[in-house]
């Protein structure tokens, strides 16, 4: 059974930093990454990374966020620096199955950036 569990959200002032972690278990995953959803908005990709280390970022976070991955642990991290109030959202971890390409989601973790 696949499980995806996030941790690391919280409240931070603008300009601060947070690190999110996500551990997936129960299978092997090709791409892993982070999405976010702010109130009244659709869920959007923040960053993703493949097993080979190729990463992809949303324009809004380039230069501020860094995604990394520990393949042996099926864990993905999101280091968020220079946070802005507009980064406030629920952040969801995504893990894509290597064979079926099914997407598995974590329960979400709240990130709130105060001005």
């Amino acid at each position: 059974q696949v499980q995806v569990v996030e941790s690391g959200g919280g409240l931070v002032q603008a300009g601060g930093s947070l690190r999110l972690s996500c551990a997936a278990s129960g299978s092997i995953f090709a791409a892993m990454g982070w999405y976010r959803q702010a109130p009244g908005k659709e869920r959007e990709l923040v960053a993703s990374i493949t097993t080979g280390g190729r990463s992809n970022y949303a324009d809004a976070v380039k230069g501020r966020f860094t995604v990394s991955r520990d393949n042996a642990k099926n864990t993905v991290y999101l280091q968020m620096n220079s946070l802005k109030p507009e980064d406030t959202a629920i952040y969801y971890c995504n893990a894509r199955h290597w064979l079926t390409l099914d997407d598995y989601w974590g329960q979400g973790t709240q990130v709130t950036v105060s001005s």
Side-chain angles (χ1 to χ4, degrees), residues 37-59:
Q37 188 166 18
K41 295 187 177 181
E42 293 186 353
R43 190 174 297 190
E44 62 178 3
L45 173 69
V46 176
S48 65
I49 187 167
T50 66
T51 51
R54 185 169 57 193
S55 58
N56 180 46
Y57 294 92
D59 287 343

Side-chain angles (χ1 to χ4, degrees), residues 1-114:
Q1 183 177 353
V2 174
Q3 287 190 314
V4 180
V5 180
E6 306 114 332
S7 62
L11 172 64
V12 65
Q13 289 188 331
S17 298
L18 281 175
R19 187 181 192 230
L20 306 182
S21 300
C22 169
S25 61
S27 189
I28 300 172
F29 304 96
M32 295 183 71
W34 295 92
Y35 288 69
R36 68 186 181 186
Q37 188 166 18
K41 295 187 177 181
E42 293 186 353
R43 190 174 297 190
E44 62 178 3
L45 173 69
V46 176
S48 65
I49 187 167
T50 66
T51 51
R54 185 169 57 193
S55 58
N56 180 46
Y57 294 92
D59 287 343
V61 306
K62 283 180 180 177
R64 300 188 297 122
F65 291 11
T66 302
V67 63
S68 59
R69 179 171 178 171
D70 184 334
N71 291 328
K73 297 180 179 179
N74 264 349
T75 299
V76 64
Y77 306 95
L78 186 67
Q79 178 66 43
M80 304 185 292
N81 298 329
S82 302
L83 282 160
K84 304 176 180 179
E86 50 264 43
D87 294 319
T88 295
I90 299 175
Y91 283 69
Y92 296 92
C93 179
N94 170 270
R96 179 161 292 173
H97 193 275
W98 73 278
L99 182 61
T100 65
L101 302 185
D102 288 341
D103 284 319
Y104 294 91
W105 297 92
Q107 77 284 358
T109 185
Q110 178 71 47
V111 172
T112 303
V113 184
S114 62

